[in-house]
């Protein structure tokens, strides 16, 4: 069996669920939000090799990876790594992006939608 990966704990402590999105509370333009925690867990039997962590999509400049133990990590079965994303809106209104982890799991990457509102 090959490597597998799931996100857990987006916006909260580590959980067994695998949410596909994170919504940040409305935040003042130009100021940084509190970080939201994201865990990545290897759910497969083979090592999970994480080659990159980043932000893409419509408004990638509004979301930043504040901290990561995942980029460049090799995770054994059931091991996890930790990342933190922050929201710093550059304009008022709805903002969105995609959090992306590139790895050797099926599909080659894990994604989660990010959204927030600049005020």
């Amino acid at each position: 069996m090959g490597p597998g990966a799931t996100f857990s704990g987006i916006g909260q402590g580590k959980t067994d669920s695998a949410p596909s999105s994170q919504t940040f509370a409305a935040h003042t333009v130009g100021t940084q939000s509190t970080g939201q925690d994201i865990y990545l867990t290897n759910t497969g039997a083979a090592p999970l090799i994480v080659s990159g962590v980043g932000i893409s999509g419509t408004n990638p400049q509004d979301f930043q990876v504040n901290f990561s133990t995942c980029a460049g990590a090799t995770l054994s079965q059931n091991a996890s790594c930790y990342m933190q994303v922050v929201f710093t809106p550059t304009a008022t209104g709805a903002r969105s992006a995609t959090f992306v982890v590139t790895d050797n799991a099926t599909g080659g990457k894990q994604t989660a939608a990010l959204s927030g509102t600049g005020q």
Side-chain angles (χ1 to χ4, degrees):
M1 178 182 247
T6 60
F7 282 130
S8 66
I10 295 180
Q12 56 196 359
K14 188 174 179 184
T15 66
D16 292 328
S17 63
S20 60
S21 65
Q22 173 58 46
T23 301
F24 288 81
H27 210 72
T28 304
V29 171
T31 62
Q32 188 178 71
S33 73
T34 301
Q36 298 293 326
D37 298 341
I38 301 173
Y39 292 84
L40 180 69
T41 302
N42 180 5
T43 58
L48 177 69
I49 301 167
V50 181
S51 56
V53 174
I55 308 289
S56 66
T58 306
N59 306 115
Q61 70 280 3
D62 292 285
F63 302 88
Q64 301 83 39
V65 177
N66 193 40
F67 180 81
S68 173
T69 63
C70 296
T74 299
L75 303 176
S76 59
Q77 183 178 20
N78 297 318
S80 297
C81 59
Y82 161 77
M83 299 157 284
Q84 187 177 77
V85 176
V86 294
F87 174 51
T88 310
T90 59
T92 59
R95 314 301 289 165
S96 65
T98 303
F99 181 74
V100 180
V101 174
T102 307
D103 56 37
N104 67 326
T106 302
K109 64 182 170 180
Q110 315 307 312
T111 64
L114 302 172
S115 62
T117 302
Q119 59 183 19

